[in-house]
Amino acid sequence: MRRWLAASGLCVLGGGWWLVASGEGPEPRRPHFTDIASKSNFAYRTDNSFTGRKYFPQAMCGGVAAFDFDNDGRMDLFFTNGAKLPEMEKTDPRFYNCLLRNRGDGTFEDVTAHAGLLGKDLGFSFGVAAGDYDNDGFEDLFVCNAGRNVLYHNNGDGTFTDVTERSGIGGKPKDVLSVAAAWFDYDNDGKLDLIVSNYTVWTPQTDKICGSNGREYYCHPRVYTNVAHRLYHNLGNGRFEDVTETSGFGKELGKGMGIAIADFNGDGYMDVFVANDTVRNFLFINQKNGTFKESGFEWGVAYDESGNAGSSMGADAKDYDNDGWPDIFYNNLKGQIWGLFHNEGGKYMKYASGVSRVSRLSVRSSGWSNGFVDYNNDGWKDMYSANGEIDNLGEISRQRDTMFENVDGKEFRDVSGLLGADFNHAGFQRGSAFVDLNNDGFPDLVVTSLDEKPRILLNSADNGNHWLLVNTIGRRSNRDGIGAVLKLTTGSGRTLYNHVTTSVGFMSSSDKRVHFGLGAEKAIASLEIRWPSGIVQTLKKVRADQILTVTEPGR
Amino acid sequence: MRSAWASVCLLLAAHILWAQQPAAGPEAILQHAIALHQAGDLDGAIRGYREYLDAQPDSVEARSNLGAALARAGRYDEAIAEYDRALAKSPENPALLLNLGLAYYKTGRPAEAAARFERAASLAPQFKDQVTLLLASCYNSLGKYKQAIALLAPLEQEKSADQGFDYLYGTALIADGQDASGAAVIDRILSRGDSAEGRLLQGTLKLKAHDIDGALADLEKSIALNGRLPGAHARLGELLLSKGESDRARTAFGQELALDPDEFVSNLNMGVLAKKDQEYAEARRYFERALKARPNDPGVRYQMANVDLATGNPDQARKTLEALIGESPDFLEAHATLATVYYRLDRSADGDRERAIAQKLTDQRDAEQTGAKAR
């Protein structure tokens, strides 16, 4: 840690010492993370059934969702798990999925069996998406699998029911690997629709063996075919229609990984970014008539800055410089450059990894799940990535996670080493979710790692910064408020932007509550919410440091 | 190796020097200049040759000697100018062509060098032996590995004990994908004892086989044995890039460029790294240097087009990309970038067309994927 510098860089705000973060000034106080998983008794470990033979999907295991399944105001956790290979069955409890109820005292209770979420009848599970698809006030789950996908309806009594068959959401081409999903309301009809990112067609029997010099490694993705991602339209009454072909999604074949949802062009309709592995990335722009136009070329996000398709993994879309337009962050493998693309006024995206220094910071890491998160509540969204090599061949296959701290919305610096030993655990990290587990206003992290228990990283929340968490409840809009765009103006006139989405990173689903760090400011002059319905709601003089539930007004 | 071959230049210059006939007046000046040249007083020799040429501007011999003295003094650009003036008087002079080729070779301009060597060999078959390895070296520098192999393969038996030959031949074979043949050449080199050249080739082969740790050990050993071996630092830089060690890669490329400021691989990679960092002016400088080594190299021109697009000059990017596609219709990345360029220029129909071509080429490439390939 650098020694704190001379007092010329200090100023007094809000009655406390506040240290300037940028340039050569003194280091700011920043929180750190502590793993509290060991305080709880649960058996879940991310198990990809690795026994020496390298089956292609093994690298992708350990999705995580943060959601409040029992509406007790505390966010709970759900983890997906692998299956025995080549049987492709959860033959043993070690492969079961896992639901942990947040007791509110820093511990979690394994309630998977009671909830009916073990997934015994599923194959190898990948991603998970949480969302209240039937607007009954209870968050439901969609789990992506090799084999059939599954929609679990939250019964509101601590249990879930597999409603896949009767919902019509389970249909997909045979043997397609579905790895991630996102809930969003693409037609603003008040019901959440679902986009599923698919990777390829695969079974243990068609698995290819790759290697050289007597050493096996995971095959290059290009040996497997590309497939279409699938869009399901929510018809209401628990029914969905597969609109992949009519919506335009069926025309584009990729190897889907993370999904980011945002209104990139500000037309009031949610668009979809899909990170593809070794295939160009897709940006589906909503045409407002039930169809989408894949516009990755037009927007400049299809390829990296040299026109190459990298191994894009996790994806997130948030406004990192608070200019009112959501930007894109996707990560990829070591030796490539993580993509930070700046939204140029809703017209196209401009490569920003270089000027922001992300190019230099990211090149040594292989990232999986990722996202923008203002971990230190300074009002600037930072860049987190769960890292680890795809394979276990090299000397630095195990990797530590990274946190690139946002400096005034212009550039980033790597502060990972300052966030505590638990944050810097080296492993084969995969899934991750941002969630405020103890409702203290500072984002916590939950991270899975192959062949390990997940880390539940509690934010020390000790830098004195202020915050606001907004829990949106839609009435005309979908009940979760997914897609609502929030603009917060502080007492000093600083404007901050965010929007409601649970789809963050890779295979994972984050806390749906919208988080704002306020820095030293306690006063919020206004909070404007543009709901998916088009209704604009403005709240004045909102108190900071609270979880604010906002219900959409009627017209 | 280059220093050994450069001696050819001096031998030829001496050959020309001995052909001079002593005479009175200006000839005395010339003789004095020659004597100074032989004695190693290059500045004095250059002054003398120039004084003589003021009186006898059409003397091919004196101008050639002046070029040789300038080249020996490391003033290659001036030497090239004098050789060119001499060749204007004697365009079919193979010795002049050879010397001019050497000057180009020394200044890292293999395309120009190769053209002179080819011409010299065609005019004077007796120069063929002297020219062959130089020409092969130029072809390797230019990425024309098949031409290098065609030149060297017939000589393999005859040159089986020649370390320089093996190095050039092995380099071309491995770069051309003839790994088994390349490995045989490496075995031959290393059977004579450990060498920087052998280690460089072995490291290159291991890098191709994704044996990163093995490749790293070989390349570091190569550099330890001869830190001035052309290409060794550049190859190490490429390996470090594949490991995500971009800072160390920059250092390695920088070391290569300290030895040869015009080295292609290092300039290209330094340019790409600068471009990723959005240091576009710096990227452009590196790419221009890379183009000096390999004029019209499509990969470098493609990178330049990307710089143009990123710096708000899509029309220049369009021109470059359209030219590249005209030359190489299957240049996938060029089609993909051109699609974005057209969209940026509000030429949607053209963008759609290029996008469709890029997709078709992508599908073709994917269909050819064999499977035995790591990421």
Side-chain angles (χ1 to χ4, degrees), chain A residues 210 277 306 351 355 359-360, chain B residues 244 275-278 302 371 375:
Chain A
C210 297
D277 186 6
S306 287
Y351 172 76
V355 292
S359 58
R360 292 202 177 219
Chain B
K275 182 167 69 70
K276 287 181 188 298
D277 289 343
Q278 295 179 273
Y302 171 71
R375 284 173 186 260

Side-chain angles (χ1 to χ4, degrees), chain A residues 513-548:
Chain A
R513 297 172 298 182
V514 180
H515 170 250
F516 289 100
L518 303 174
E521 295 198 63
K522 284 182 179 172
I524 299 168
S526 67
L527 178 67
E528 179 186 294
I529 302 174
R530 192 185 76 189
W531 293 87
S533 63
I535 293 172
V536 178
Q537 181 177 11
T538 304
L539 308 176
K540 299 285 187 185
K541 293 186 178 174
V542 176
R543 181 171 55 83
D545 301 329
Q546 65 163 323
I547 299 170
L548 178 68

Side-chain angles (χ1 to χ4, degrees), chain A residues 208-391:
Chain A
K208 298 178 194 298
I209 299 175
C210 297
S212 63
N213 299 327
R215 189 166 52 171
E216 186 182 10
Y217 45 68
Y218 289 113
C219 292
H220 193 287
R222 285 193 192 132
V223 306
Y224 291 101
T225 188
N226 300 338
V227 292
H229 310 314
R230 303 206 80 77
L231 180 64
Y232 301 92
H233 181 227
N234 190 335
L235 303 173
N237 297 317
R239 299 282 304 164
F240 289 82
E241 178 187 11
D242 185 336
V243 294
T244 303
E245 299 307 325
T246 55
S247 64
F249 274 83
K251 287 190 292 193
E252 306 296 338
L253 307 184
K255 286 194 170 72
M257 299 291 278
I259 304 171
I261 303 293
D263 178 6
F264 292 107
N265 56 2
D267 64 357
Y269 283 75
M270 284 164 255
D271 310 302
V272 181
F273 175 79
V274 182
N276 283 306
D277 186 6
T278 69
V279 176
R280 65 182 167 83
N281 300 311
F282 296 154
L283 178 56
F284 293 99
I285 296 294
N286 195 325
Q287 303 299 296
K288 304 188 282 186
N289 59 3
T291 70
F292 289 77
K293 182 174 185 239
E294 200 291 293
S295 306
F297 284 93
E298 292 93 319
W299 281 68
V301 295
Y303 296 98
D304 69 10
E305 94 308 328
S306 287
N308 298 313
S311 302
S312 302
M313 298 290 187
D316 194 15
K318 299 278 168 51
D319 180 5
Y320 75 85
D321 61 346
N322 288 321
D323 67 351
W325 296 98
D327 312 297
I328 287 177
F329 162 33
Y330 65 80
N331 56 8
N332 47 34
L333 297 183
K334 185 179 67 182
Q336 303 174 2
I337 299 292
W338 292 355
L340 179 66
F341 286 84
H342 182 260
N343 190 329
E344 299 288 306
K347 295 182 175 63
Y348 65 94
M349 295 274 179
K350 189 173 181 180
Y351 172 76
S353 299
V355 292
S356 64
R357 297 190 58 78
V358 169
S359 58
R360 292 202 177 219
L361 299 179
S362 67
V363 70
R364 294 189 66 181
S365 299
S366 292
W368 293 79
S369 194
N370 70 331
F372 290 110
V373 59
D374 181 7
Y375 85 98
N376 57 356
N377 276 345
D378 67 354
W380 297 110
K381 297 175 196 74
D382 312 296
M383 296 170 69
Y384 165 80
S385 178
N387 302 325
E389 273 291 10
I390 194 164
D391 221 320

